[in-house]
């Protein structure tokens, strides 16, 4: 018993000498050690593969000192028809003295077609490898015990007794290694799939980026197209985007809102495209019906924009940027918080920029003058009536930011005179 335990220990140390070895490396050592212990001339080690169609034995390693063999990839079904299949199916150890003279009472036969390269088998020892659950997970088939003078001897039953406990111990080791192999394989598959996914994601990200770029470009072009019949307003629309974004940020409004208003603000006067050209281009005062037509640029703009889900904010800005906090603006005369926040913001941005801008009929105001008018009013603007008081307060604190945007994006002299 002690001898067996020591043997098992030694066997285990032998086969596990190399850490992180692959299954075929491990099985190669199992086969080698089994052959050394039994003086077997040749041998094959199989691993049990369970598939939907039934279990089979896959030859993982073949060793033969007489003929050169490569790791065979033949499979044997797990059933009683072959010796190795029988061992796998029953978990029994089989000793055969002469494979060409089999005991007729046994269910298995010897198929010489399975012989490697005309190698002649005589004696055979075939034993199962089991895991701790006593399941057969592999089979070692040893062939031709070599005696003195190269004679072939039968395997001794004591050899079966030697390998029995060993088989159990290394079974666990094989199972562990096999599992590690499978995990490594699965990891490799996962890694390559992850890489594929990452590539796809990058591709989709690119497409989305391009789509977003195309969207922003066409929004910008639409805003530009709309002002072509308007007086030369240069970078007015772009600056309006930036003041609006600046205000929204300082108010701590959600990121989405800030990003949207940054491209939506420029569309506030897009409805001017639809205004009667004669009215739009008329120099001098508009009469009542002309004024009504001109004020329609708010509803026209809303109509142009409201069908696009991504231009909802732009649509509400276009509609309401001429409403007044105290009421009395157009087109709907709504007041206070009934006016969308986006429109209240763009109103301040629009008016600051209009004050700074040079027009055919007026010079541009300095930042100080424009700030003064927005905070204290003049003959045309009454801040209390026009603006959301919360925004006026914010403007009073942060107006330098408006000056910076103006300076960054102010028009080249040729643009303002166009
Ligand atoms: Fe307007
Ligand atoms: Fe404007």
């Amino acid at each position: 018993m002690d001898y067996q335990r020591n043997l098992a220990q030694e066997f285990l140390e032998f086969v596990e000498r190399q850490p992180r070895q692959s299954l075929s490396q491990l099985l190669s050592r199992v086969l080698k050690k089994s052959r050394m212990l039994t003086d077997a001339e040749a041998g094959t080690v199989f691993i049990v593969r369970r598939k939907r169609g039934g279990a089979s034995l896959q030859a993982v390693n073949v060793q033969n000192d007489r003929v050169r063999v490569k790791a065979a990839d033949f499979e044997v079904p797990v059933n009683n028809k072959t010796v190795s299949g029988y061992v796998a199916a029953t978990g029994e150890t089989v000793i055969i003295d002469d494979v060409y003279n089999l005991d007729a009472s046994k269910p298995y036969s010897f198929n010489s077609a399975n012989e490697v390269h005309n190698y002649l088998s005589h004696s055979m020892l075939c034993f199962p490898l089991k895991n701790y659950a006593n399941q057969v997970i592999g089979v070692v088939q040893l062939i031709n015990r070599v005696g003195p003078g190269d004679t072939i001897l039968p395997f001794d039953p004591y050899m079966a007794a030697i390998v029995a406990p060993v088989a159990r111990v290394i079974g666990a080791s094989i199972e562990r290694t096999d599992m590690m192999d499978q995990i490594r394989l699965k990891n490799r598959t996962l890694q390559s799939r992850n890489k594929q996914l990452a590539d796809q994601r990058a591709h989709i990200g690119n497409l989305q980026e391009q789509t977003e770029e195309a969207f922003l470009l066409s929004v910008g072009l639409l805003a530009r197209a709309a002002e072509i019949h308007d007086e030369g307003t240069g970078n007015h629309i772009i600056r309006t985007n930036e003041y609006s974004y600046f205000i929204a940020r300082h108010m701590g409004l959600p990121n989405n809102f800030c990003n949207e208003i940054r491209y939506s603000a420029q569309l506030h006067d897009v409805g001017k495209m639809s205004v009667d050209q004669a009215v739009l281009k008329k120099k001098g005062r508009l009469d009542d019906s002309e004024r009504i037509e001109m004020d329609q640029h708010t509803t026209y703009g809303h109509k142009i924009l409201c069908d696009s889900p991504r231009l909802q904010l732009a649509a509400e800005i276009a509609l309401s940027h001429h409403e007044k906090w105290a009421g009395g603006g157009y087109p709907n005369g709504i007041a206070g918080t009934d006016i969308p926040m986006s429109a209240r913001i763009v109103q301040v941005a629009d008016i600051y920029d209009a004050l700074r801008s040079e027009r055919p009929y007026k010079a541009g105001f300095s930042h100080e003058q424009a700030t003064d008018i927005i905070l204290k009013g003049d003959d045309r603007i009454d801040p209390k009536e026009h603006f959301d008081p919360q925004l006026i307060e914010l403007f009073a604190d942060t107006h330098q930011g408006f000056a910076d945007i103006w300076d960054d994006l102010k028009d080249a002299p040729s643009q303002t005179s166009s």
Side-chain angles (χ1 to χ4, degrees):
M1 205 57 206
D2 263 2
Y3 170 70
Q4 283 190 338
R5 198 176 302 129
N6 287 344
L7 189 70
Q9 186 63 33
E10 191 216 310
F11 202 111
L12 196 63
E13 279 171 10
F14 178 82
V15 298
E16 290 200 322
R17 194 168 294 160
Q18 267 179 309
R20 298 174 64 89
Q21 56 194 340
S22 70
L23 183 65
S24 87
Q25 284 171 319
L26 175 74
L27 291 179
S28 160
R29 297 177 81 81
V30 168
L31 187 54
K32 193 173 179 185
K33 187 69 177 177
S34 301
R35 285 177 55 208
M36 281 161 61
L37 284 171
T38 58
D39 299 319
E41 188 177 53
T44 304
V45 58
F46 299 88
I47 196 96
V48 176
R49 294 292 178 207
R50 294 174 210 282
K51 295 176 203 153
R52 214 176 299 162
S56 64
L57 286 172
Q58 187 186 10
V60 179
N61 209 290
V62 182
Q63 289 173 3
N64 193 318
D65 294 337
R66 291 239 186 117
V67 291
R68 269 165 58 90
V69 285
K70 56 178 183 165
D73 52 359
F74 62 91
E75 282 199 1
V76 180
V78 173
N79 58 35
N80 288 349
K81 290 188 179 142
T82 61
V83 178
S84 52
Y86 174 84
V87 170
T90 61
E92 287 174 26
T93 294
V94 170
I95 295 176
I96 300 170
D97 293 347
D98 181 357
V99 294
Y100 291 100
N101 195 2
L102 284 175
D103 181 346
S105 68
K106 299 294 183 192
Y108 45 78
S109 57
F110 181 73
N111 183 357
S112 58
N114 283 347
E115 290 273 50
V116 176
H117 298 289
N118 301 322
Y119 176 72
L120 227 72
S121 303
H122 291 287
S123 59
M124 186 182 285
L125 167 58
C126 197
F127 63 93
L129 302 169
K130 294 179 181 176
N131 63 12
Y132 285 121
N134 213 29
Q135 279 178 312
V136 177
I137 57 159
V139 169
V140 177
Q141 189 171 42
L142 301 171
I143 293 165
N144 293 350
R145 179 183 167 206
V146 181
D150 277 359
T151 50
I152 302 300
L153 305 174
F155 288 94
D156 215 294
Y158 88 88
M159 290 174 169
I162 287 176
V163 293
V166 166
R168 181 64 63 84
V169 178
I170 58 174
S173 177
I174 289 169
E175 204 169 46
R176 192 167 57 238
T177 308
D178 191 27
M179 213 176 294
M180 289 302 291
D181 265 19
Q182 310 263 356
I183 288 171
R184 268 197 288 269
L185 190 73
K186 209 154 267 170
N187 266 342
R188 264 203 296 277
T189 316
L190 269 179
Q191 269 168 8
S192 78
R193 191 165 310 157
N194 273 344
K195 199 187 164 309
Q196 273 176 3
L197 279 177
D199 287 351
Q200 277 171 9
R201 260 199 301 274
H203 183 63
I204 290 170
N206 258 340
L207 281 181
Q208 277 171 346
E209 234 167 71
Q210 284 169 18
T211 311
E212 185 65 14
E213 237 169 71
F215 169 75
L216 292 177
L217 187 71
S218 39
V219 168
L221 285 173
L222 178 62
R224 276 269 174 244
E227 62 169 8
I228 228 159
H229 301 296
D230 203 357
E231 51 201 63
T233 49
N235 280 337
H236 167 66
I237 54 173
I238 295 170
R239 288 190 300 266
T240 307
N241 282 344
E242 295 307 312
Y243 305 128
S244 302
Y245 178 71
F246 178 84
I247 299 171
R249 274 260 167 268
H250 276 268
M251 291 193 70
L253 292 168
N255 273 346
N256 262 356
F257 181 94
C258 296
N259 294 332
E260 259 184 73
I261 203 170
R262 198 175 195 173
Y263 67 77
S264 300
Q266 64 188 334
L267 292 165
H268 61 278
D269 274 342
V270 84
K272 285 188 178 170
M273 285 170 112
S274 307
V275 169
D276 186 336
Q277 294 298 300
V279 174
L280 198 62
K281 287 187 170 153
K282 182 175 177 184
K283 307 236 188 284
R285 280 195 79 85
L286 303 178
D287 66 27
D288 283 355
S289 70
E290 290 166 341
R291 173 46 59 193
I292 288 168
E293 169 64 8
M294 188 62 161
D295 291 355
Q296 289 297 311
H297 79 273
T298 51
T299 48
Y300 294 153
H302 182 261
K303 215 169 167 190
I304 290 169
L305 301 170
C306 69
D307 285 338
S308 162
R310 290 209 52 198
L311 295 174
Q312 292 305 300
L313 199 74
E316 73 179 28
I317 291 168
L319 183 66
S320 301
H321 69 285
H322 288 290
E323 300 288 0
K324 293 179 184 170
W325 182 256
Y330 63 90
N332 294 317
I334 53 176
T337 51
D338 285 349
I339 307 167
M341 173 59 84
S342 58
R344 284 180 260 154
I345 290 173
V346 171
Q347 187 189 38
V348 176
D350 192 24
I351 288 180
Y352 173 83
D353 202 71
L355 290 169
R356 295 296 310 268
S357 297
E358 186 186 323
R359 289 284 187 267
Y361 50 85
K362 79 168 194 36
F365 289 119
S366 69
H367 172 68
E368 288 66 31
Q369 289 171 307
T371 303
D372 223 46
I373 292 171
I374 288 176
L375 294 178
K376 295 179 193 146
D378 67 357
D379 52 333
R380 291 174 59 202
I381 294 172
D382 177 356
K384 285 203 187 65
E385 208 180 283
H386 271 78
F387 305 122
D388 177 351
Q390 194 191 351
L391 291 182
I392 291 305
E393 212 172 292
L394 186 132
F395 180 80
D397 292 340
T398 63
H399 61 78
Q400 186 52 46
F402 283 64
D404 294 342
I405 291 167
W406 171 269
D407 289 339
D408 278 353
L409 294 168
K410 71 174 162 232
D411 303 297
S414 61
Q415 272 179 300
T416 47
S417 61
S418 72

